Amino acid sequence: MDSLFTVTSRDSLKSVVVSNAILLTMVCVQTSCSRIPNLEVNFGNFIPLKEHIKKADLIVVGTLVAEHLVRIFGPQDNSYELREVSVSVEGVLRGNLSETHLSYYYYMPIGGWNGPAFNISTPGERAIFYLMNDTGVWRAVTDGYQSHIPIHTGKHEISAASRSKLNETIARLLLSPPEGGDLSEYLVHFGESCTSAFQLTGESETARVLQILRTHNYRNIRDLACIQLAAFGERDCLAEALKNDQLPNEDRSLGEEYLDSHLHPRTR
């Protein structure tokens, strides 16, 4: 379910890689070089989101506060940026952490490639972060590719019970609508959140949460859940859902496609 595309540029990437020595000197003016971790690049095969849980020593929910370049590593024709991300922690799903803030690192290749989405960190976004311990510091479970999942459902209470039912908790965090808050971001990213929930928890758990949302008191949520459930073959509610003129165009087109295949199944 991952879309492939060509990365041609990134705001934070350099169009021309200047002298590593000059850049490292500039970084050292702002921070002590002795505190820069000596991490090996971990940029290889793409790791699906469902594998992030298996690899992570620490899984936290929090808000991304800031990100900055620490250093540039490697030869000029095969360079990587080591980037440090600061997170305000709201809850811990795996591991032990008493601090309310943490920093983690990841390498970003400089240049372009064909493949799944690269790692984009947006200050202020809430997300689930999958981290590993490496020589005493936290780092993302994978370099380059996305290693955290944005949450568009507001702040949630993370209880002790959440840690024993990790897959169900993640699906709930991704798909449960914010209580008494602005629903605009939640609705816009609903399909994206469903894709992430499916990749991490599979069809049965994603469908279970969507079935609950089918009974929500807000029609737009009910109808979007109906359209997403259609991917699993449950299409009886589609005709009624498509009467909703407030559906985003992309979701409406997807629903119409599902309905057409339901009413006119292809024959071999």
Side-chain angles (χ1 to χ4, degrees):
M1 300 182 71
D2 295 298
S3 60
L4 302 184
F5 61 93
T6 301
V7 178
T8 57
S9 64
R10 183 174 185 259
D11 291 341
S12 61
L13 297 182
K14 313 299 184 290
S15 58
V16 177
V17 180
V18 299
S19 168
N20 286 2
I22 294 175
L23 280 173
L24 186 56
T25 299
M26 293 172 61
V27 172
C28 289
V29 170
Q30 301 175 13
T31 183
S32 170
C33 287
S34 63
R35 290 181 292 179
I36 296 176
N38 185 24
L39 301 174
E40 295 184 3
V41 176
N42 182 26
F43 181 63
N45 294 329
F46 172 71
I47 301 174
L49 288 176
K50 65 181 179 180
E51 297 298 319
H52 290 187
I53 293 178
K54 296 179 181 179
K55 294 177 66 69
D57 301 311
L58 180 70
I59 302 176
V60 301
V61 179
T63 302
L64 197 152
V65 178
E67 177 184 351
H68 68 272
L69 170 67
V70 176
R71 69 169 180 169
I72 288 182
F73 172 82
Q76 188 168 354
D77 60 348
N78 188 28
S79 299
Y80 295 84
E81 291 184 349
L82 179 63
R83 306 190 68 84
E84 181 179 6
V85 182
S86 300
V87 176
S88 176
V89 178
E90 298 175 353
V92 179
L93 295 175
R94 171 183 291 166
N96 297 311
L97 184 74
S98 58
E99 296 84 0
T100 58
H101 289 79
L102 66 79
S103 293
Y104 74 88
Y105 298 86
Y106 74 96
Y107 280 105
M108 171 58 69
I110 296 177
W113 75 87
N114 291 327
F118 54 75
N119 199 3
I120 299 178
S121 301
T122 305
E125 78 173 341
R126 180 173 282 108
I128 303 172
F129 299 88
Y130 301 89
L131 308 174
M132 301 186 302
N133 187 290
D134 189 338
T135 62
V137 299
W138 297 114
R139 70 178 299 171
V141 293
T142 182
D143 290 330
Y145 302 116
Q146 188 177 31
S147 59
H148 65 280
I149 305 176
I151 298 174
H152 305 284
T153 58
K155 186 175 182 178
H156 294 264
E157 185 71 26
I158 307 299
S159 65
S162 303
R163 297 166 64 94
S164 62
K165 299 180 179 180
L166 194 52
N167 287 0
E168 292 86 346
T169 296
I170 291 175
R172 176 178 59 83
L173 290 172
L174 293 173
L175 296 177
S176 296
E179 296 294 335
D182 184 7
L183 289 172
S184 57
E185 285 295 305
Y186 169 77
L187 295 173
V188 167
H189 295 282
F190 189 78
E192 172 189 327
S193 297
C194 285
T195 298
S196 295
F198 175 80
Q199 290 173 335
L200 285 169
T201 63
E203 178 178 332
S204 60
E205 181 58 28
T206 304
R208 187 189 72 81
V209 178
L210 289 173
Q211 289 285 11
I212 294 173
L213 294 178
R214 281 286 299 127
T215 64
H216 198 274
N217 57 11
Y218 185 42
R219 181 182 178 183
N220 287 359
I221 293 176
R222 295 197 306 270
D223 292 343
L224 286 176
C226 169
I227 291 172
Q228 292 298 323
L229 274 169
F232 307 134
E234 300 182 33
R235 304 183 178 182
D236 293 340
C237 61
L238 275 175
E240 184 63 28
L242 290 173
K243 294 178 182 179
N244 185 349
D245 58 9
Q246 296 183 22
L247 290 175
N249 291 334
E250 183 177 350
D251 295 285
R252 177 177 298 280
S253 297
L254 181 63
E256 290 173 346
E257 180 180 335
Y258 284 141
L259 182 61
D260 181 68
S261 63
H262 177 61
L263 297 176
H264 307 95
R266 296 179 180 178
T267 58
R268 295 183 178 181

